Amino acid sequence: MEDLFQVGIISSTHGVRGEVKVFPTTDDVNRFKKLKKVLLDTGSERICLEIENVKFFKQFAILKFKGYDNINDIEKYKGKSLLVTRENAVELEENEFFVADLIGIEVISDDGALKGNLKDVIETGANDVYVIALEDGRELLLPAIRECILKVSLEDNRMLIHVLEGLLD
């Protein structure tokens, strides 16, 4: 299981006082209000940053980090990811999972006819859609709804699914 989760990507600087626009990669942009620290993944290292101030503009979170007080301090981090540890991640409800924990999980249909691995998760407005790479080379797009997702066991790295009529046509 993953220990770090991406919560955003620095898209650009905001003003000249060290603030950055962050494109959120989390379900709820308001979670930045509760975060005290994030890890900046520079590609070669991870830097712990303390969040000093948070505000919002359109779909972006505008963050100010302690110790980064001008545009020159922060500009080099454009395009870099902001991460949180599993301990600082949002608490999940029952039958909710982090996407990072589901990718690669073995998928088996309830009739035993289909096997594969979860390759990706597409976030739509209504419900997520699981992209499953089947052993026979086909790809199944399965809605993440109770009628289709029967059981998920992260301990066994397995998901039991039911394929509704017409989804394989």
Side-chain angles (χ1 to χ4, degrees):
M1 290 201 295
E2 293 288 323
D3 289 327
L4 296 173
F5 300 104
Q6 184 184 66
V7 291
I9 299 170
I10 296 176
S11 65
S12 65
T13 57
H14 182 77
V16 295
R17 295 201 167 102
E19 292 180 316
V20 291
K21 274 188 193 177
V22 175
F23 179 77
T25 56
T26 179
D27 287 349
D28 182 12
V29 71
N30 290 312
R31 79 173 321 274
F32 284 100
K33 290 179 191 175
K34 296 176 186 164
L35 281 176
K36 304 280 185 240
K37 294 182 180 181
V38 292
L39 292 171
L40 172 69
D41 187 355
T42 67
S44 59
E45 65 178 330
R46 292 195 175 122
I47 302 169
C48 185
L49 299 175
E50 188 176 333
I51 298 174
E52 196 173 274
N53 189 32
V54 178
K55 54 188 175 184
F56 301 97
F57 177 72
K58 297 185 180 177
Q59 79 269 27
F60 294 97
I62 309 295
L63 303 183
K64 169 74 175 76
F65 301 115
K66 188 173 186 174
Y68 292 84
D69 297 320
N70 72 58
I71 191 171
N72 298 325
D73 293 340
I74 202 78
E75 191 170 33
K76 60 187 169 194
Y77 299 126
K78 280 196 256 182
K80 303 299 181 189
S81 295
L82 297 177
L83 311 170
V84 295
T85 60
R86 186 175 286 276
E87 295 80 39
N88 290 324
V90 294
E91 288 195 30
L92 298 175
E93 302 283 326
E94 188 178 344
N95 293 320
E96 284 187 335
F97 304 93
F98 292 113
V99 171
D101 291 341
L102 292 176
I103 300 296
I105 197 169
E106 181 183 13
V107 179
I108 301 170
S109 63
D110 55 349
D111 62 3
L114 296 174
K115 290 184 181 179
N117 291 84
L118 195 134
K119 183 170 107 178
D120 198 6
V121 176
I122 301 169
E123 294 180 23
T124 67
N127 54 268
D128 291 345
V129 175
Y130 293 166
V131 181
I132 300 167
L134 299 173
E135 285 182 339
D136 63 10
R138 293 181 295 165
E139 197 170 79
L140 171 64
L141 299 177
L142 189 72
I145 57 176
R146 290 178 204 252
E147 294 82 12
C148 293
I149 310 303
L150 303 179
K151 183 178 180 189
V152 175
S153 172
L154 294 179
E155 296 81 26
D156 298 329
N157 196 39
R158 185 168 288 159
M159 179 185 295
L160 182 65
I161 65 168
H162 174 75
V163 180
L164 296 173
E165 191 176 325
L167 286 178
L168 279 171
D169 297 338

